[in-house]
Amino acid sequence: FVYDLARDESIPDPDAEKPFAKLERTPRPLRNEDFMGDIIVQKARQKRNYKFVFKRKIFLPVQNTPSEDVMFNRLIYLQAEDEVLNLGNLPIADEATAVKLASLSYAVAYEEDFPEDPATLATDDDYLVKDFIPLGWREKKSVEEYAAMVVANRSVVDE
């Protein structure tokens, strides 16, 4: 999909005089014959800000069974993680589950670079643990306390 973003007002709009100039632009999927490079050139000529959003067509079997498609599983994981951590649409009832999910999410993101030192998780800009705490729990404890809890739950990740 190609999403048009807000215009940069410092650049004159070549379509400003056209009747459709004030209409809000809606996202559109790329056709099979479209290439991303062509869209980039087109948007540059139109002096439009834009972004690409990757959406994959998924064809599920008749039965609702687990998928063997690695990309499908990754996208499902990222969607669930976003719903819990960033949007808060899936509330977490207890602190133990919140910390366990934070540890798992952290391990998926950093794999073997998962620091063993809680201070690194709390202070290093490259490893901020607060971004991995579910939204509803972020303000209930300090970052240092959560960092210690996530490091303590590191053994859960290895199971």
Side-chain angles (χ1 to χ4, degrees), residues 119-156:
T120 302
L121 268 76
T123 58
D124 191 336
D125 288 340
D126 293 331
Y127 296 103
L128 286 179
V129 73
K130 186 172 185 174
D131 296 337
F132 293 89
I133 303 297
L135 193 60
W137 290 91
R138 287 185 186 165
E139 304 304 321
K140 297 191 180 198
K141 291 192 181 230
S142 71
V143 174
E144 291 78 14
E145 290 174 297
Y146 277 127
M149 294 168 76
V150 166
V151 168
N153 266 290
R154 188 177 173 165
S155 62
V156 173

Side-chain angles (χ1 to χ4, degrees), residues 14-157:
D15 295 330
E17 302 301 320
K18 297 185 179 167
F20 59 82
K22 299 296 181 196
L23 290 176
E24 186 174 329
R25 297 178 184 245
T26 58
R28 68 177 174 88
L30 295 180
R31 298 172 302 193
N32 288 337
E33 61 270 6
D34 288 342
F35 293 97
M36 291 177 69
D38 295 336
I39 301 298
I40 292 169
V41 170
Q42 176 188 19
K43 296 298 179 183
R45 286 181 182 153
Q46 294 172 348
K47 298 186 180 3
R48 304 237 16 121
N49 293 326
Y50 62 94
K51 69 177 178 179
F52 289 107
V53 175
F54 174 72
K55 292 188 179 186
R56 183 170 180 185
K57 292 181 183 177
I58 300 172
F59 300 99
L60 297 176
V62 176
Q63 300 88 6
N64 191 10
T65 59
S67 174
E68 295 178 18
D69 183 356
V70 177
M71 181 63 78
F72 173 77
N73 290 335
R74 178 72 177 156
L75 290 173
I76 291 294
Y77 168 77
L78 290 173
Q79 182 178 0
E81 183 183 53
D82 189 51
E83 292 289 327
V84 172
L85 297 182
N86 300 326
L87 303 176
N89 290 338
L90 298 172
I92 305 301
D94 60 290
E95 184 177 85
T97 303
V99 172
K100 182 178 178 180
L101 289 174
S103 297
L104 289 170
S105 181
Y106 203 92
V108 168
Y110 289 104
E111 298 174 347
E112 66 274 353
D113 293 333
F114 193 134
E116 295 181 18
D117 176 26
T120 302
L121 268 76
T123 58
D124 191 336
D125 288 340
D126 293 331
Y127 296 103
L128 286 179
V129 73
K130 186 172 185 174
D131 296 337
F132 293 89
I133 303 297
L135 193 60
W137 290 91
R138 287 185 186 165
E139 304 304 321
K140 297 191 180 198
K141 291 192 181 230
S142 71
V143 174
E144 291 78 14
E145 290 174 297
Y146 277 127
M149 294 168 76
V150 166
V151 168
N153 266 290
R154 188 177 173 165
S155 62
V156 173
V157 173

